[in-house]
Amino acid sequence: MESDKTYNLAVIMSSYNGEKYIEEQIESILNQKTDYNVSLKVLVRDDGSTDNTIKVINSISTKDKRVMLVDNQGKNLGVKGSFFSLLKNVDDYDMVFFSDQDDVWAPEKIDSFMSTALEKDFFSKAKPMGIYSDAWIADAQAKPTAEKMSTKYSWMKDDNRYQFLTFNYRIVGATYAINKTAVRLANEIPTDWIPLINMHDSFIGLLISIYGENIIINRPLIYYRQHGNNLVGAGANNKGLVKKYNQAVMSIRQLVSDNILVADFVEKRGPWTLDREEYKRRRKFLNRYLLLKTRDIADRRNLVRNIKPFLWSRHRLFSLIMLYTLSFDVEG
């Protein structure tokens, strides 16, 4: 890569009643320190806020033209729909960061991502790629709690294989950036699938792992703020047992649903970046999840035998029991 090249970077953020924290988050993005030549835009889509969020964003954008409020129709699409809408606006940027409205970025985040991107040929158009980092779990004041996301969720170091990501939520949008090829891949996801998938970030991350590569930066580069109004968060430890059980069952159902949709996408998309034999292997693995739509115990045993090594070790026994006993009538 030429040392004098300017890289066009976009940060996409969906806001909803975020007046309390959004200014601090945007300022942490605008105040990034980097030695690389970058042109930065922060594109915010408001998802129907009823507080002063839009007023705060407009105040920032008046002072700094790098911040833009886009698609401001006031329509509530939900967080998934809002981010997929934002992706339609950024298919010509070199790197696109996902951002929550209420976190805080470490000052060196963009510099670290740029360094990794240049080392790993991220800006090549040959394949879709993503980069994500670890995160500090932070309190409501964005102060780190001394616990990292990788520790809290028992991440297996450097394991970004597609098999692993089919049964683990590892890609967290708040820490994720994707290249131009990956943005265009994400924009191929059918609009009518959006209500069916779990989250935009994990679904896109799984597709990238099949056709390209995800790279982890093994250090925290955001402060992942936890407070009473998180739409999605690191989870509280004080949930009741029934609530934890129901959430775990829902997660397993959603993982299976996502995998069946991905299998359908891959079948229709074809080999693309893969040679024919590798494409067949990956399709065969994904198609095993279709066996969960049957109650035949032999079929389920075949699936479990193949995916067992990739189940989240912390909850492997529970996952195995649920895979044998739940009914999966999945659309797609």
Side-chain angles (χ1 to χ4, degrees):
M1 294 287 178
E2 313 94 285
S3 59
D4 59 347
K5 176 179 170 60
T6 297
Y7 295 92
N8 294 312
L9 313 183
V11 178
I12 56 175
M13 179 187 299
S14 178
S15 62
Y16 182 75
N17 289 348
E19 64 177 357
K20 187 172 182 180
Y21 302 116
I22 195 168
E23 183 172 9
E24 184 180 11
Q25 167 67 317
I26 293 175
E27 291 297 333
S28 77
I29 296 168
L30 297 176
N31 293 328
Q32 291 288 297
K33 308 294 184 185
T34 181
D35 293 327
Y36 297 98
N37 295 321
V38 300
S39 174
L40 178 68
K41 292 286 186 183
V42 181
L43 284 73
V44 187
R45 182 193 176 277
D46 188 73
D47 201 34
S49 293
T50 57
D51 65 359
N52 291 316
T53 299
I54 292 178
K55 184 178 179 180
V56 173
I57 298 166
N58 283 332
S59 175
I60 298 169
S61 65
T62 299
K63 294 179 289 186
D64 196 318
K65 300 302 181 185
R66 291 177 295 172
V67 180
M68 301 168 55
L69 191 61
V70 300
D71 187 27
N72 188 29
Q73 306 301 314
K75 185 176 181 181
N76 184 271
L77 301 177
V79 64
K80 296 180 293 185
S82 193
F83 271 105
F84 276 113
S85 176
L86 280 161
L87 283 167
K88 302 295 185 186
N89 294 277
V90 292
D91 66 352
D92 206 33
Y93 284 83
D94 297 309
M95 182 186 290
V96 175
F97 293 84
F98 296 89
S99 173
D100 288 356
Q101 66 178 356
D102 48 8
D103 300 324
V104 172
W105 285 17
E108 72 277 13
K109 174 173 174 173
I110 284 180
D111 195 72
S112 297
F113 272 65
M114 283 295 301
S115 177
T116 300
L118 290 166
E119 179 186 338
K120 298 293 185 178
D121 203 21
F122 177 90
F123 298 110
S124 166
K125 297 178 182 178
K127 63 182 180 181
M129 295 183 71
I131 301 173
Y132 66 103
S133 73
D134 205 343
W136 288 114
I137 306 298
D139 63 17
Q141 285 71 49
K143 303 300 182 186
T145 62
E147 184 174 33
K148 294 187 289 188
M149 190 171 288
S150 58
T151 305
K152 185 176 182 70
Y153 292 111
S154 306
W155 286 1
M156 294 169 61
K157 186 177 180 181
D158 295 327
D159 200 334
N160 292 306
R161 290 173 291 170
Y162 69 93
Q163 301 101 318
F164 180 79
L165 292 180
T166 61
F167 220 87
N168 293 265
Y169 290 131
R170 177 73 175 270
I171 305 295
V172 180
T175 73
Y176 201 32
I178 60 179
N179 69 357
K180 187 181 298 185
T181 305
V183 172
R184 293 174 179 177
L185 175 66
N187 282 333
E188 294 179 22
I189 296 169
T191 303
D192 59 357
W193 283 15
I194 294 173
L196 304 178
I197 68 175
N198 180 50
M199 284 298 286
H200 56 284
D201 45 15
S202 57
F203 196 85
I204 292 168
L206 178 54
L207 279 179
I208 291 173
S209 73
I210 291 166
Y211 282 116
E213 182 182 6
N214 286 302
I215 302 157
I216 185 171
I217 299 174
N218 278 308
R219 64 181 184 279
L221 291 171
I222 73 163
Y223 300 94
Y224 194 54
R225 192 194 309 254
Q226 301 300 290
H227 55 86
N229 297 319
N230 289 92
L231 287 178
V232 179
N237 292 322
N238 57 356
K239 293 178 181 176
L241 287 176
V242 173
K243 188 172 285 188
K244 284 184 178 180
Y245 172 84
N246 289 336
Q247 185 176 16
V249 169
M250 183 176 67
S251 294
I252 290 171
R253 288 189 184 279
Q254 192 61 66
L255 283 162
V256 171
S257 176
D258 281 5
N259 291 331
I260 290 173
L261 290 172
V262 167
D264 186 26
F265 185 96
V266 170
E267 180 181 5
K268 292 172 181 174
R269 187 65 171 76
W272 189 26
T273 61
L274 306 172
D275 65 56
R276 183 66 59 176
E277 289 306 309
E278 185 58 32
Y279 173 68
K280 288 179 180 178
R281 277 193 292 272
R282 297 186 180 202
R283 272 196 64 199
K284 182 178 180 181
F285 183 88
L286 290 167
N287 284 339
R288 289 193 175 104
Y289 282 95
L290 293 169
L291 297 175
L292 289 175
K293 296 175 79 170
T294 176
R295 292 183 178 275
D296 187 285
I297 194 66
D299 284 345
R300 290 193 176 215
R301 189 177 295 116
N302 179 37
L303 167 72
V304 170
R305 183 172 63 250
N306 284 279
I307 70 170
K308 184 178 179 180
F310 308 106
L311 296 177
W312 192 17
S313 59
R314 191 172 172 183
H315 299 296
R316 181 170 290 155
L317 179 59
F318 179 82
S319 298
L320 289 171
I321 293 170
M322 292 300 101
L323 286 171
Y324 276 120
T325 59
L326 290 178
S327 173
F328 295 95
D329 296 317
V330 185
E331 297 182 58

